[in-house]
Amino acid sequence: MRKRWSLVLFTLLVQSAVGSVWCVQAALFFSGHRIGSIHLKIQIIAALCGVVAGLAVAMTHLGKPADSRHAVRNFKRSWLSREIFTVNLFAGILAAMAALSHFNSALLNGWAMLVASLSGAAALYAM
């Protein structure tokens, strides 16, 4: 189990980030889209930090980092490829939302949180 601590930590960090996005989505739904913009910014940045930290920890598990590109090539049959793609997609959406929140936080209350929630669900399914 000592060699697998990075995968456990990766799983916990990414799933916590997805859970926090889902909690914000539920709060938006039940409050009629009336959540303060500062709260949304903090939650999105915290979720992004969790995903990035999880990805960084997962990199420590690689034996030969140069060979890691082969894991992504078989998207149709490999669950590892799907996991890598969906977690990076989720991180990219969160990064775009964090950048967007500085310019127009009203857009986060609508479709952006729904897209982030669905991409998080895809990441959990692939995991």
Side-chain angles (χ1 to χ4, degrees), residues 22-37 39-40 108-110 113:
W22 284 359
C23 287
V24 170
Q25 180 67 37
L28 283 171
F29 179 75
F30 289 117
S31 72
H33 297 282
R34 290 174 296 187
I35 292 181
S37 62
H39 181 266
L40 283 173
L108 298 180
N109 289 341
M113 283 304 295

Side-chain angles (χ1 to χ4, degrees), residues 2 12 16 25 42 49 52-53 56 66 69 80 85 100 113 115 123:
R2 288 183 180 182
L12 290 174
S16 297
Q25 180 67 37
I42 291 171
C49 289
V52 169
R69 68 185 188 286
L80 179 61
F85 176 77
L100 182 67
M113 283 304 295
V115 170

